[in-house]
């Protein structure tokens, strides 16, 4: 079997999409020694993240070129049994498509996107879903949302849950704090959030709740660290920080690689994830895997992921975010309990399990494709 993966996200700072495909390929390499794999990459440095025995072919980084021409041409040359994409398949794709749709926020909440991006996703994802041999997603919440959006039987959509990578684990707290001091110049205790600066991540709400908590308890020494790359929405988050009255305690790191992110998770006192909408919410599990107490939203897939291992709040209520934050900052016993429950919860998710389930889909689709090709040849010979 020859399977191919559109891995252009690797090295392009595409956060969740990059983490997803990178960890799946690591699982494929460990689980399937018989099949061959091609990874289609967009940048040279991405090669370091691909298992050594995988073929590495390069496609255009520009999405219009990659999806409009380049990737289909590569697939015609390579002739794999299938291609696995995230959200959007290339135009004129010559092989069966497996698509992972992490969520349909672009349909349910287009206000979180620039209008042209929401329009593009509506069109291309709908077309990809219609042509896909199999649809994957990462949570039961997303499975139901995709089925609703595209009028599908939910049972036809396969759920392969994300997980925290093995690099996210408890490390020496002092080592982590030294790293934060050297990189950020921050020696005070801090609350951490992780995610691109964009509307649905609700960093503005967290900034306001943090300021409210510090006004309510002025003796608390905490700072707030926002780790994530800037987007078109970043100026609004930075304006909120300046208006909060606590701008000197609010820090923006920009994009952070996983090797550095593990230090941030381990050094923080509390991890907060106030997102309005998530198809999964991987930073919640990463923080738990590092032994951090978590507060997060009670919306979309987040309760499914966090279960009872964190404090949940309504992300539309600044007061609820503030109360959850203060509950953990002020109650040492509760914080320790949440840290313990979080570690246990994170251990229930595995990239190996996700890769195993995904490979089962690959072999199912490839087997169907091979049977169809054999049937077509038999019919052709009968009529010749």
């Amino acid at each position: 079997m020859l399977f191919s993966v559109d891995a252009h996200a690797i090295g392009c700072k595409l956060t969740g999409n990059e983490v997803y495909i990178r960890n799946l390929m690591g699982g494929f390499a460990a689980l399937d020694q018989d099949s061959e794999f091609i990874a289609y990459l967009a940048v040279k440095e991405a090669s370091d993240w691909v298992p050594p025995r995988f073929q590495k072919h390069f496609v255009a980084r520009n999405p219009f070129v990659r999806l409009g021409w380049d990737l289909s041409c590569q697939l015609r040359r390579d002739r794999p049994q299938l291609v696995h994409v995230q959200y959007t398949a290339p135009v004129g794709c010559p092989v069966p498509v497996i698509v992972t749709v992490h969520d349909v926020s672009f349909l349910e909440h287009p206000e979180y996107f620039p209008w042209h991006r929401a329009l593009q996703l509506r069109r291309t994802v709908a077309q990809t879903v219609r042509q896909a041999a199999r649809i994957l997603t990462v949570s039961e919440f997303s499975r139901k949302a995709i089925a609703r959006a595209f009028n599908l039987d939910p049972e036809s959509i396969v759920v392969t849950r994300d997980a925290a990578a093995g690099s996210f684990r408890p490390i020496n707290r002092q080592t982590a704090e030294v790293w934060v001091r050297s990189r950020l110049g921050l020696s005070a205790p801090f609350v951490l959030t992780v995610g691109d600066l964009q509307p649905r991540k609700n960093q503005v709400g967290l900034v306001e709740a943090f300021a409210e908590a510090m006004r309510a308890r002025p003796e608390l020494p905490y700072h707030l660290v926002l780790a994530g790359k800037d987007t078109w929405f970043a100026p609004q988050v930075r304006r909120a920080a300046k208006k909060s009255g606590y701008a000197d305690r609010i820090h923006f790191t920009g994009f952070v690689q996983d090797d550095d992110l593990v230090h941030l998770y381990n050094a923080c006192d509390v991890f907060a994830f106030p997102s309005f909408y998530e198809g999964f919410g991987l930073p919640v599990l990463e923080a738990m895997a590092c032994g951090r107490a978590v507060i997060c939203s009670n919306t979309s897939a987040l309760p499914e992921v966090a279960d009872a291992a964190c404090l949940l709040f309504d992300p539309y209520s600044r007061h609820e975010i503030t109360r959850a934050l203060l509950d953990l900052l002020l109650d040492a016993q509760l914080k320790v309990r949440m840290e313990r429950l979080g570690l246990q919860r994170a251990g229930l998710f595995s990239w190996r399990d996700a890769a195993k389930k995904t490979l089962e889909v690959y072999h199912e689709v490839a087997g169907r494709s091979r049977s169809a090709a054999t049937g077509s040849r038999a019919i052709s010979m009968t009529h010749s």
Side-chain angles (χ1 to χ4, degrees):
M1 294 289 187
L2 176 61
F3 301 133
S4 68
V5 176
D6 179 2
H8 76 273
I10 300 178
C12 293
K13 299 182 179 178
L14 295 180
T15 55
N17 290 357
E18 176 173 352
V19 169
Y20 172 80
I21 206 65
R22 202 171 66 203
N23 282 284
L24 275 189
M25 288 196 297
F28 296 163
L31 291 168
D32 191 340
Q33 302 295 323
D34 298 323
S35 300
E36 297 181 67
F37 296 85
I38 302 171
Y40 293 112
L41 306 172
V43 294
K44 295 293 183 184
E45 54 267 30
S47 297
D48 295 339
W49 290 102
V50 178
R53 70 179 178 86
F54 284 26
Q55 298 178 48
K56 304 168 188 69
H57 297 176
F58 289 89
V59 292
R61 185 167 182 171
N62 182 299
F64 297 102
V65 177
R66 184 181 69 254
L67 296 172
W69 171 259
D70 200 12
L71 185 51
S72 286
C73 288
Q74 287 277 8
L75 289 165
R76 287 188 181 91
R77 281 194 289 269
D78 298 332
R79 301 176 68 182
Q81 263 73 47
L82 56 85
V83 62
H84 183 181
V85 304
Q86 297 183 73
Y87 289 107
T88 303
V91 175
C93 187
V95 300
V97 171
I98 292 172
V99 61
T100 296
V101 180
H102 297 273
D103 64 64
V104 288
S105 54
F106 55 92
L107 292 174
E108 297 191 331
H109 291 282
E111 68 272 17
Y112 297 155
F113 297 80
W115 70 268
H116 53 87
R117 176 63 171 159
L119 177 63
Q120 175 255 309
L121 285 168
R122 277 203 304 272
R123 291 177 175 175
T124 61
V125 177
Q127 182 177 353
T128 301
V129 165
R130 283 195 299 269
Q131 78 179 82
R134 215 71 162 92
I135 301 164
L136 308 181
T137 194
V138 292
S139 66
E140 291 296 334
F141 167 81
S142 283
R143 170 154 67 176
K144 292 173 185 175
I146 294 164
R148 268 196 320 270
F150 299 108
N151 195 27
L152 301 170
D153 178 0
E155 295 303 314
S156 69
I157 302 167
V158 178
V159 175
T160 60
R161 301 189 305 176
D162 290 349
S167 58
F168 292 104
R169 66 196 189 285
I171 63 173
N172 181 273
R173 185 71 182 269
Q174 287 185 322
T175 300
E177 289 172 348
V178 167
W179 183 94
V180 171
R181 279 199 300 274
S182 65
R183 296 297 181 91
L184 302 182
L186 177 61
S187 56
F190 66 93
V191 175
L192 174 68
T193 191
V194 172
D196 295 350
L197 304 184
Q198 56 175 286
R200 74 182 175 109
K201 299 298 183 181
N202 192 26
Q203 287 103 343
V204 170
L206 179 59
V207 164
E208 293 173 349
F210 172 78
E212 185 175 287
M214 295 304 102
R215 283 193 294 270
R217 301 300 296 259
E219 76 278 11
L220 293 177
Y222 293 97
H223 288 225
L224 174 64
V225 174
L226 297 95
K229 71 179 181 183
D230 282 3
T231 71
W232 60 278
F233 189 72
Q236 293 192 47
V237 183
R238 294 178 184 275
R239 278 196 296 273
K242 287 179 181 177
K243 288 172 55 180
S244 70
Y246 290 87
D248 59 331
R249 292 209 211 175
I250 300 174
H251 310 268
F252 296 86
T253 70
F255 178 79
V256 179
Q257 297 283 359
D258 283 1
D259 290 347
D260 294 333
L261 193 53
V262 69
H263 290 93
L264 277 173
Y265 281 131
N266 274 273
C268 76
D269 278 66
V270 169
F271 180 76
F273 200 65
S275 182
F276 292 125
Y277 187 104
E278 293 292 326
F280 189 81
L282 189 54
V284 168
L285 277 192
E286 291 173 346
M288 288 178 173
C290 291
R292 296 302 89 202
V294 173
I295 64 170
C296 80
S297 302
N298 62 3
T299 60
S300 56
L302 291 169
E304 177 186 336
V305 172
D307 198 38
C310 77
L311 299 187
L312 296 171
F313 55 76
D314 177 359
Y316 296 94
S317 168
R318 185 176 68 189
H319 176 68
E320 282 201 25
I321 304 174
T322 301
R323 185 173 61 192
L325 191 56
L326 286 174
D327 282 349
L328 283 187
L329 294 179
L330 296 172
D331 188 334
Q333 287 186 331
L334 176 63
K335 183 164 161 285
V336 168
R337 180 169 174 267
M338 289 296 108
E339 289 172 348
R340 185 181 71 252
L341 291 174
L343 272 172
Q344 294 171 356
R345 181 66 180 167
L348 299 178
F349 296 76
S350 161
W351 278 115
R352 183 182 179 89
D353 291 344
K356 181 175 182 294
K357 205 165 185 180
T358 304
L359 282 170
E360 289 171 359
V361 173
Y362 282 16
H363 284 279
E364 172 204 328
V365 170
R368 288 206 314 259
S369 179
R370 178 178 287 180
S371 297
T374 301
S376 296
R377 284 196 296 270
I379 291 171
S380 176
M381 291 174 66
T382 300
H383 290 280
S384 62

